[in-house]
Amino acid sequence: LKAYKKLIQDYNQLTLTEFESIKQLLGTKKFISYLKIKNELATKIKSILIGDKLADNKRDANAKPLPPPKIIIEKSE
């Protein structure tokens, strides 16, 4: 759990570093636009991935059920 907690903290620190660096580079107004675009892009990627997953599930649901197994009885002479 400690290692996982450390990973989460490092990831959050990376996000904060990105936030501050890009804000300084772009200025407030352009940075707001950057955040909006970044959010829209992340949302679109997630929806595409979810759409692919749903399409796979739908394809599986539309698959024809298998026929019942045939029973073959061998008679010995």
PDB file of all heavy atoms in Angstrom, residues 17-48:
ATOM      1  N   THR A  17       2.876  19.966 -11.419  1.00  0.00           N
ATOM      2  CA  THR A  17       4.022  20.546 -12.115  1.00  0.00           C
ATOM      3  C   THR A  17       3.636  20.948 -13.530  1.00  0.00           C
ATOM      4  O   THR A  17       3.976  22.042 -14.003  1.00  0.00           O
ATOM      5  CB  THR A  17       5.200  19.548 -12.136  1.00  0.00           C
ATOM      6  OG1 THR A  17       5.517  19.178 -10.798  1.00  0.00           O
ATOM      7  CG2 THR A  17       6.413  20.146 -12.804  1.00  0.00           C
ATOM      8  N   GLU A  18       2.912  20.059 -14.216  1.00  0.00           N
ATOM      9  CA  GLU A  18       2.435  20.359 -15.572  1.00  0.00           C
ATOM     10  C   GLU A  18       1.545  21.609 -15.534  1.00  0.00           C
ATOM     11  O   GLU A  18       1.683  22.511 -16.354  1.00  0.00           O
ATOM     12  CB  GLU A  18       1.648  19.183 -16.132  1.00  0.00           C
ATOM     13  CG  GLU A  18       0.993  19.486 -17.461  1.00  0.00           C
ATOM     14  CD  GLU A  18      -0.113  18.511 -17.851  1.00  0.00           C
ATOM     15  OE1 GLU A  18      -0.606  17.776 -16.980  1.00  0.00           O
ATOM     16  OE2 GLU A  18      -0.482  18.513 -19.029  1.00  0.00           O
ATOM     17  N   PHE A  19       0.647  21.640 -14.579  1.00  0.00           N
ATOM     18  CA  PHE A  19      -0.291  22.755 -14.433  1.00  0.00           C
ATOM     19  C   PHE A  19       0.457  24.078 -14.312  1.00  0.00           C
ATOM     20  O   PHE A  19       0.187  25.030 -15.049  1.00  0.00           O
ATOM     21  CB  PHE A  19      -1.158  22.497 -13.188  1.00  0.00           C
ATOM     22  CG  PHE A  19      -2.253  23.498 -12.973  1.00  0.00           C
ATOM     23  CD1 PHE A  19      -3.515  23.281 -13.502  1.00  0.00           C
ATOM     24  CD2 PHE A  19      -2.042  24.644 -12.231  1.00  0.00           C
ATOM     25  CE1 PHE A  19      -4.540  24.193 -13.298  1.00  0.00           C
ATOM     26  CE2 PHE A  19      -3.047  25.567 -12.025  1.00  0.00           C
ATOM     27  CZ  PHE A  19      -4.299  25.338 -12.556  1.00  0.00           C
ATOM     28  N   GLU A  20       1.411  24.143 -13.398  1.00  0.00           N
ATOM     29  CA  GLU A  20       2.146  25.383 -13.166  1.00  0.00           C
ATOM     30  C   GLU A  20       3.019  25.762 -14.360  1.00  0.00           C
ATOM     31  O   GLU A  20       3.067  26.929 -14.752  1.00  0.00           O
ATOM     32  CB  GLU A  20       3.001  25.258 -11.895  1.00  0.00           C
ATOM     33  CG  GLU A  20       2.192  25.181 -10.623  1.00  0.00           C
ATOM     34  CD  GLU A  20       1.311  26.397 -10.383  1.00  0.00           C
ATOM     35  OE1 GLU A  20       1.713  27.521 -10.732  1.00  0.00           O
ATOM     36  OE2 GLU A  20       0.201  26.211  -9.853  1.00  0.00           O
ATOM     37  N   SER A  21       3.701  24.796 -14.952  1.00  0.00           N
ATOM     38  CA  SER A  21       4.604  25.079 -16.077  1.00  0.00           C
ATOM     39  C   SER A  21       3.854  25.607 -17.285  1.00  0.00           C
ATOM     40  O   SER A  21       4.249  26.610 -17.893  1.00  0.00           O
ATOM     41  CB  SER A  21       5.373  23.819 -16.474  1.00  0.00           C
ATOM     42  OG  SER A  21       6.163  23.364 -15.416  1.00  0.00           O
ATOM     43  N   ILE A  22       2.780  24.953 -17.634  1.00  0.00           N
ATOM     44  CA  ILE A  22       2.030  25.359 -18.823  1.00  0.00           C
ATOM     45  C   ILE A  22       1.306  26.681 -18.574  1.00  0.00           C
ATOM     46  O   ILE A  22       1.192  27.511 -19.471  1.00  0.00           O
ATOM     47  CB  ILE A  22       1.074  24.239 -19.274  1.00  0.00           C
ATOM     48  CG1 ILE A  22       1.911  23.053 -19.730  1.00  0.00           C
ATOM     49  CG2 ILE A  22       0.150  24.706 -20.386  1.00  0.00           C
ATOM     50  CD1 ILE A  22       1.141  21.852 -20.162  1.00  0.00           C
ATOM     51  N   LYS A  23       0.851  26.894 -17.352  1.00  0.00           N
ATOM     52  CA  LYS A  23       0.198  28.161 -17.028  1.00  0.00           C
ATOM     53  C   LYS A  23       1.177  29.317 -17.219  1.00  0.00           C
ATOM     54  O   LYS A  23       0.812  30.367 -17.761  1.00  0.00           O
ATOM     55  CB  LYS A  23      -0.320  28.135 -15.588  1.00  0.00           C
ATOM     56  CG  LYS A  23      -1.093  29.373 -15.201  1.00  0.00           C
ATOM     57  CD  LYS A  23      -1.618  29.271 -13.791  1.00  0.00           C
ATOM     58  CE  LYS A  23      -2.330  30.553 -13.403  1.00  0.00           C
ATOM     59  NZ  LYS A  23      -2.739  30.535 -11.994  1.00  0.00           N
ATOM     60  N   GLN A  24       2.420  29.132 -16.801  1.00  0.00           N
ATOM     61  CA  GLN A  24       3.432  30.175 -16.983  1.00  0.00           C
ATOM     62  C   GLN A  24       3.731  30.397 -18.464  1.00  0.00           C
ATOM     63  O   GLN A  24       3.909  31.527 -18.899  1.00  0.00           O
ATOM     64  CB  GLN A  24       4.725  29.803 -16.261  1.00  0.00           C
ATOM     65  CG  GLN A  24       4.655  29.957 -14.765  1.00  0.00           C
ATOM     66  CD  GLN A  24       5.964  29.570 -14.092  1.00  0.00           C
ATOM     67  OE1 GLN A  24       6.788  28.891 -14.683  1.00  0.00           O
ATOM     68  NE2 GLN A  24       6.136  29.993 -12.846  1.00  0.00           N
ATOM     69  N   LEU A  25       3.785  29.330 -19.236  1.00  0.00           N
ATOM     70  CA  LEU A  25       4.100  29.457 -20.660  1.00  0.00           C
ATOM     71  C   LEU A  25       2.988  30.130 -21.454  1.00  0.00           C
ATOM     72  O   LEU A  25       3.258  30.948 -22.340  1.00  0.00           O
ATOM     73  CB  LEU A  25       4.376  28.076 -21.267  1.00  0.00           C
ATOM     74  CG  LEU A  25       5.667  27.386 -20.845  1.00  0.00           C
ATOM     75  CD1 LEU A  25       5.691  25.952 -21.376  1.00  0.00           C
ATOM     76  CD2 LEU A  25       6.872  28.155 -21.368  1.00  0.00           C
ATOM     77  N   LEU A  26       1.752  29.779 -21.165  1.00  0.00           N
ATOM     78  CA  LEU A  26       0.633  30.231 -21.986  1.00  0.00           C
ATOM     79  C   LEU A  26      -0.058  31.490 -21.476  1.00  0.00           C
ATOM     80  O   LEU A  26      -0.699  32.198 -22.262  1.00  0.00           O
ATOM     81  CB  LEU A  26      -0.411  29.112 -22.109  1.00  0.00           C
ATOM     82  CG  LEU A  26       0.041  27.811 -22.764  1.00  0.00           C
ATOM     83  CD1 LEU A  26      -1.092  26.800 -22.754  1.00  0.00           C
ATOM     84  CD2 LEU A  26       0.531  28.058 -24.176  1.00  0.00           C
ATOM     85  N   GLY A  27      -0.003  31.732 -20.214  1.00  0.00           N
ATOM     86  CA  GLY A  27      -0.799  32.814 -19.644  1.00  0.00           C
ATOM     87  C   GLY A  27      -2.170  32.266 -19.263  1.00  0.00           C
ATOM     88  O   GLY A  27      -2.558  31.167 -19.677  1.00  0.00           O
ATOM     89  N   THR A  28      -2.910  33.038 -18.516  1.00  0.00           N
ATOM     90  CA  THR A  28      -4.162  32.550 -17.936  1.00  0.00           C
ATOM     91  C   THR A  28      -5.216  32.215 -18.991  1.00  0.00           C
ATOM     92  O   THR A  28      -5.806  31.137 -18.968  1.00  0.00           O
ATOM     93  CB  THR A  28      -4.732  33.579 -16.940  1.00  0.00           C
ATOM     94  OG1 THR A  28      -3.739  33.852 -15.950  1.00  0.00           O
ATOM     95  CG2 THR A  28      -5.973  33.045 -16.252  1.00  0.00           C
ATOM     96  N   LYS A  29      -5.476  33.126 -19.938  1.00  0.00           N
ATOM     97  CA  LYS A  29      -6.549  32.910 -20.913  1.00  0.00           C
ATOM     98  C   LYS A  29      -6.264  31.708 -21.810  1.00  0.00           C
ATOM     99  O   LYS A  29      -7.128  30.855 -22.031  1.00  0.00           O
ATOM    100  CB  LYS A  29      -6.767  34.161 -21.761  1.00  0.00           C
ATOM    101  CG  LYS A  29      -7.389  35.290 -20.994  1.00  0.00           C
ATOM    102  CD  LYS A  29      -7.644  36.492 -21.865  1.00  0.00           C
ATOM    103  CE  LYS A  29      -8.249  37.623 -21.038  1.00  0.00           C
ATOM    104  NZ  LYS A  29      -8.533  38.797 -21.861  1.00  0.00           N
ATOM    105  N   LYS A  30      -5.054  31.616 -22.342  1.00  0.00           N
ATOM    106  CA  LYS A  30      -4.711  30.483 -23.203  1.00  0.00           C
ATOM    107  C   LYS A  30      -4.643  29.186 -22.404  1.00  0.00           C
ATOM    108  O   LYS A  30      -4.957  28.124 -22.910  1.00  0.00           O
ATOM    109  CB  LYS A  30      -3.386  30.728 -23.925  1.00  0.00           C
ATOM    110  CG  LYS A  30      -3.485  31.760 -25.014  1.00  0.00           C
ATOM    111  CD  LYS A  30      -2.185  31.888 -25.769  1.00  0.00           C
ATOM    112  CE  LYS A  30      -2.306  32.920 -26.881  1.00  0.00           C
ATOM    113  NZ  LYS A  30      -1.056  33.052 -27.628  1.00  0.00           N
ATOM    114  N   PHE A  31      -4.245  29.305 -21.142  1.00  0.00           N
ATOM    115  CA  PHE A  31      -4.180  28.117 -20.292  1.00  0.00           C
ATOM    116  C   PHE A  31      -5.575  27.553 -20.050  1.00  0.00           C
ATOM    117  O   PHE A  31      -5.764  26.336 -20.053  1.00  0.00           O
ATOM    118  CB  PHE A  31      -3.493  28.454 -18.965  1.00  0.00           C
ATOM    119  CG  PHE A  31      -3.352  27.282 -18.047  1.00  0.00           C
ATOM    120  CD1 PHE A  31      -2.567  26.191 -18.399  1.00  0.00           C
ATOM    121  CD2 PHE A  31      -3.990  27.262 -16.828  1.00  0.00           C
ATOM    122  CE1 PHE A  31      -2.432  25.102 -17.555  1.00  0.00           C
ATOM    123  CE2 PHE A  31      -3.861  26.183 -15.977  1.00  0.00           C
ATOM    124  CZ  PHE A  31      -3.076  25.099 -16.335  1.00  0.00           C
ATOM    125  N   ILE A  32      -6.547  28.419 -19.875  1.00  0.00           N
ATOM    126  CA  ILE A  32      -7.931  27.965 -19.701  1.00  0.00           C
ATOM    127  C   ILE A  32      -8.389  27.222 -20.958  1.00  0.00           C
ATOM    128  O   ILE A  32      -9.009  26.159 -20.872  1.00  0.00           O
ATOM    129  CB  ILE A  32      -8.864  29.147 -19.366  1.00  0.00           C
ATOM    130  CG1 ILE A  32      -8.538  29.671 -17.960  1.00  0.00           C
ATOM    131  CG2 ILE A  32     -10.330  28.747 -19.464  1.00  0.00           C
ATOM    132  CD1 ILE A  32      -9.215  30.970 -17.600  1.00  0.00           C
ATOM    133  N   SER A  33      -8.062  27.761 -22.123  1.00  0.00           N
ATOM    134  CA  SER A  33      -8.400  27.081 -23.385  1.00  0.00           C
ATOM    135  C   SER A  33      -7.699  25.733 -23.470  1.00  0.00           C
ATOM    136  O   SER A  33      -8.292  24.740 -23.895  1.00  0.00           O
ATOM    137  CB  SER A  33      -8.009  27.939 -24.581  1.00  0.00           C
ATOM    138  OG  SER A  33      -8.734  29.125 -24.599  1.00  0.00           O
ATOM    139  N   TYR A  34      -6.434  25.695 -23.050  1.00  0.00           N
ATOM    140  CA  TYR A  34      -5.670  24.442 -23.049  1.00  0.00           C
ATOM    141  C   TYR A  34      -6.353  23.396 -22.178  1.00  0.00           C
ATOM    142  O   TYR A  34      -6.499  22.236 -22.575  1.00  0.00           O
ATOM    143  CB  TYR A  34      -4.244  24.714 -22.541  1.00  0.00           C
ATOM    144  CG  TYR A  34      -3.478  23.479 -22.160  1.00  0.00           C
ATOM    145  CD1 TYR A  34      -2.864  22.684 -23.127  1.00  0.00           C
ATOM    146  CD2 TYR A  34      -3.354  23.100 -20.825  1.00  0.00           C
ATOM    147  CE1 TYR A  34      -2.159  21.542 -22.771  1.00  0.00           C
ATOM    148  CE2 TYR A  34      -2.653  21.964 -20.466  1.00  0.00           C
ATOM    149  CZ  TYR A  34      -2.054  21.192 -21.437  1.00  0.00           C
ATOM    150  OH  TYR A  34      -1.367  20.063 -21.091  1.00  0.00           O
ATOM    151  N   LEU A  35      -6.784  23.796 -20.983  1.00  0.00           N
ATOM    152  CA  LEU A  35      -7.448  22.859 -20.078  1.00  0.00           C
ATOM    153  C   LEU A  35      -8.763  22.340 -20.660  1.00  0.00           C
ATOM    154  O   LEU A  35      -9.093  21.162 -20.524  1.00  0.00           O
ATOM    155  CB  LEU A  35      -7.685  23.501 -18.714  1.00  0.00           C
ATOM    156  CG  LEU A  35      -6.437  23.770 -17.867  1.00  0.00           C
ATOM    157  CD1 LEU A  35      -6.819  24.511 -16.589  1.00  0.00           C
ATOM    158  CD2 LEU A  35      -5.692  22.489 -17.567  1.00  0.00           C
ATOM    159  N   LYS A  36      -9.511  23.232 -21.323  1.00  0.00           N
ATOM    160  CA  LYS A  36     -10.767  22.813 -21.949  1.00  0.00           C
ATOM    161  C   LYS A  36     -10.505  21.796 -23.055  1.00  0.00           C
ATOM    162  O   LYS A  36     -11.179  20.765 -23.142  1.00  0.00           O
ATOM    163  CB  LYS A  36     -11.512  24.018 -22.524  1.00  0.00           C
ATOM    164  CG  LYS A  36     -12.143  24.897 -21.488  1.00  0.00           C
ATOM    165  CD  LYS A  36     -12.857  26.082 -22.140  1.00  0.00           C
ATOM    166  CE  LYS A  36     -13.461  27.010 -21.132  1.00  0.00           C
ATOM    167  NZ  LYS A  36     -14.121  28.168 -21.763  1.00  0.00           N
ATOM    168  N   ILE A  37      -9.521  22.080 -23.901  1.00  0.00           N
ATOM    169  CA  ILE A  37      -9.184  21.165 -24.999  1.00  0.00           C
ATOM    170  C   ILE A  37      -8.690  19.831 -24.453  1.00  0.00           C
ATOM    171  O   ILE A  37      -9.078  18.769 -24.933  1.00  0.00           O
ATOM    172  CB  ILE A  37      -8.144  21.807 -25.940  1.00  0.00           C
ATOM    173  CG1 ILE A  37      -8.775  22.980 -26.676  1.00  0.00           C
ATOM    174  CG2 ILE A  37      -7.570  20.789 -26.906  1.00  0.00           C
ATOM    175  CD1 ILE A  37      -7.783  23.853 -27.422  1.00  0.00           C
ATOM    176  N   LYS A  38      -7.849  19.899 -23.433  1.00  0.00           N
ATOM    177  CA  LYS A  38      -7.323  18.668 -22.825  1.00  0.00           C
ATOM    178  C   LYS A  38      -8.458  17.825 -22.253  1.00  0.00           C
ATOM    179  O   LYS A  38      -8.486  16.603 -22.426  1.00  0.00           O
ATOM    180  CB  LYS A  38      -6.320  19.033 -21.728  1.00  0.00           C
ATOM    181  CG  LYS A  38      -5.650  17.846 -21.100  1.00  0.00           C
ATOM    182  CD  LYS A  38      -4.616  18.278 -20.074  1.00  0.00           C
ATOM    183  CE  LYS A  38      -4.041  17.057 -19.386  1.00  0.00           C
ATOM    184  NZ  LYS A  38      -3.071  17.418 -18.349  1.00  0.00           N
ATOM    185  N   ASN A  39      -9.419  18.465 -21.598  1.00  0.00           N
ATOM    186  CA  ASN A  39     -10.554  17.757 -21.026  1.00  0.00           C
ATOM    187  C   ASN A  39     -11.427  17.140 -22.122  1.00  0.00           C
ATOM    188  O   ASN A  39     -11.856  15.984 -22.016  1.00  0.00           O
ATOM    189  CB  ASN A  39     -11.374  18.707 -20.155  1.00  0.00           C
ATOM    190  CG  ASN A  39     -12.491  17.989 -19.442  1.00  0.00           C
ATOM    191  OD1 ASN A  39     -12.312  16.866 -18.973  1.00  0.00           O
ATOM    192  ND2 ASN A  39     -13.638  18.627 -19.341  1.00  0.00           N
ATOM    193  N   GLU A  40     -11.690  17.902 -23.185  1.00  0.00           N
ATOM    194  CA  GLU A  40     -12.497  17.387 -24.297  1.00  0.00           C
ATOM    195  C   GLU A  40     -11.816  16.190 -24.952  1.00  0.00           C
ATOM    196  O   GLU A  40     -12.469  15.193 -25.284  1.00  0.00           O
ATOM    197  CB  GLU A  40     -12.733  18.483 -25.335  1.00  0.00           C
ATOM    198  CG  GLU A  40     -13.687  19.558 -24.885  1.00  0.00           C
ATOM    199  CD  GLU A  40     -13.779  20.711 -25.877  1.00  0.00           C
ATOM    200  OE1 GLU A  40     -13.237  20.605 -26.995  1.00  0.00           O
ATOM    201  OE2 GLU A  40     -14.394  21.734 -25.518  1.00  0.00           O
ATOM    202  N   LEU A  41     -10.511  16.283 -25.135  1.00  0.00           N
ATOM    203  CA  LEU A  41      -9.759  15.187 -25.742  1.00  0.00           C
ATOM    204  C   LEU A  41      -9.827  13.936 -24.870  1.00  0.00           C
ATOM    205  O   LEU A  41     -10.083  12.836 -25.379  1.00  0.00           O
ATOM    206  CB  LEU A  41      -8.306  15.604 -25.970  1.00  0.00           C
ATOM    207  CG  LEU A  41      -7.398  14.586 -26.640  1.00  0.00           C
ATOM    208  CD1 LEU A  41      -7.921  14.236 -28.033  1.00  0.00           C
ATOM    209  CD2 LEU A  41      -5.981  15.129 -26.734  1.00  0.00           C
ATOM    210  N   ALA A  42      -9.629  14.091 -23.585  1.00  0.00           N
ATOM    211  CA  ALA A  42      -9.692  12.950 -22.670  1.00  0.00           C
ATOM    212  C   ALA A  42     -11.093  12.326 -22.686  1.00  0.00           C
ATOM    213  O   ALA A  42     -11.237  11.097 -22.711  1.00  0.00           O
ATOM    214  CB  ALA A  42      -9.319  13.381 -21.259  1.00  0.00           C
ATOM    215  N   THR A  43     -12.111  13.175 -22.715  1.00  0.00           N
ATOM    216  CA  THR A  43     -13.494  12.685 -22.753  1.00  0.00           C
ATOM    217  C   THR A  43     -13.767  11.912 -24.043  1.00  0.00           C
ATOM    218  O   THR A  43     -14.377  10.847 -24.017  1.00  0.00           O
ATOM    219  CB  THR A  43     -14.476  13.863 -22.627  1.00  0.00           C
ATOM    220  OG1 THR A  43     -14.193  14.566 -21.422  1.00  0.00           O
ATOM    221  CG2 THR A  43     -15.914  13.379 -22.611  1.00  0.00           C
ATOM    222  N   LYS A  44     -13.290  12.431 -25.176  1.00  0.00           N
ATOM    223  CA  LYS A  44     -13.493  11.753 -26.458  1.00  0.00           C
ATOM    224  C   LYS A  44     -12.771  10.408 -26.494  1.00  0.00           C
ATOM    225  O   LYS A  44     -13.323   9.415 -26.971  1.00  0.00           O
ATOM    226  CB  LYS A  44     -13.013  12.629 -27.619  1.00  0.00           C
ATOM    227  CG  LYS A  44     -13.949  13.768 -27.917  1.00  0.00           C
ATOM    228  CD  LYS A  44     -13.466  14.604 -29.086  1.00  0.00           C
ATOM    229  CE  LYS A  44     -14.392  15.769 -29.346  1.00  0.00           C
ATOM    230  NZ  LYS A  44     -13.965  16.586 -30.475  1.00  0.00           N
ATOM    231  N   ILE A  45     -11.561  10.381 -25.987  1.00  0.00           N
ATOM    232  CA  ILE A  45     -10.805   9.122 -25.970  1.00  0.00           C
ATOM    233  C   ILE A  45     -11.519   8.095 -25.103  1.00  0.00           C
ATOM    234  O   ILE A  45     -11.669   6.933 -25.490  1.00  0.00           O
ATOM    235  CB  ILE A  45      -9.359   9.364 -25.480  1.00  0.00           C
ATOM    236  CG1 ILE A  45      -8.584  10.140 -26.545  1.00  0.00           C
ATOM    237  CG2 ILE A  45      -8.660   8.046 -25.160  1.00  0.00           C
ATOM    238  CD1 ILE A  45      -7.213  10.603 -26.110  1.00  0.00           C
ATOM    239  N   LYS A  46     -11.999   8.520 -23.934  1.00  0.00           N
ATOM    240  CA  LYS A  46     -12.723   7.600 -23.054  1.00  0.00           C
ATOM    241  C   LYS A  46     -13.990   7.094 -23.730  1.00  0.00           C
ATOM    242  O   LYS A  46     -14.309   5.912 -23.648  1.00  0.00           O
ATOM    243  CB  LYS A  46     -13.066   8.282 -21.740  1.00  0.00           C
ATOM    244  CG  LYS A  46     -11.873   8.489 -20.840  1.00  0.00           C
ATOM    245  CD  LYS A  46     -12.265   9.261 -19.588  1.00  0.00           C
ATOM    246  CE  LYS A  46     -11.057   9.621 -18.756  1.00  0.00           C
ATOM    247  NZ  LYS A  46     -11.418  10.437 -17.584  1.00  0.00           N
ATOM    248  N   SER A  47     -14.718   7.984 -24.397  1.00  0.00           N
ATOM    249  CA  SER A  47     -15.961   7.565 -25.050  1.00  0.00           C
ATOM    250  C   SER A  47     -15.683   6.603 -26.190  1.00  0.00           C
ATOM    251  O   SER A  47     -16.447   5.665 -26.427  1.00  0.00           O
ATOM    252  CB  SER A  47     -16.761   8.765 -25.534  1.00  0.00           C
ATOM    253  OG  SER A  47     -16.097   9.422 -26.585  1.00  0.00           O
ATOM    254  N   ILE A  48     -14.579   6.815 -26.913  1.00  0.00           N
ATOM    255  CA  ILE A  48     -14.209   5.888 -27.981  1.00  0.00           C
ATOM    256  C   ILE A  48     -13.894   4.521 -27.399  1.00  0.00           C
ATOM    257  O   ILE A  48     -14.349   3.493 -27.901  1.00  0.00           O
ATOM    258  CB  ILE A  48     -13.018   6.433 -28.794  1.00  0.00           C
ATOM    259  CG1 ILE A  48     -13.462   7.616 -29.642  1.00  0.00           C
ATOM    260  CG2 ILE A  48     -12.408   5.345 -29.678  1.00  0.00           C
ATOM    261  CD1 ILE A  48     -12.320   8.382 -30.291  1.00  0.00           C
TER     262      ILE A  48
END
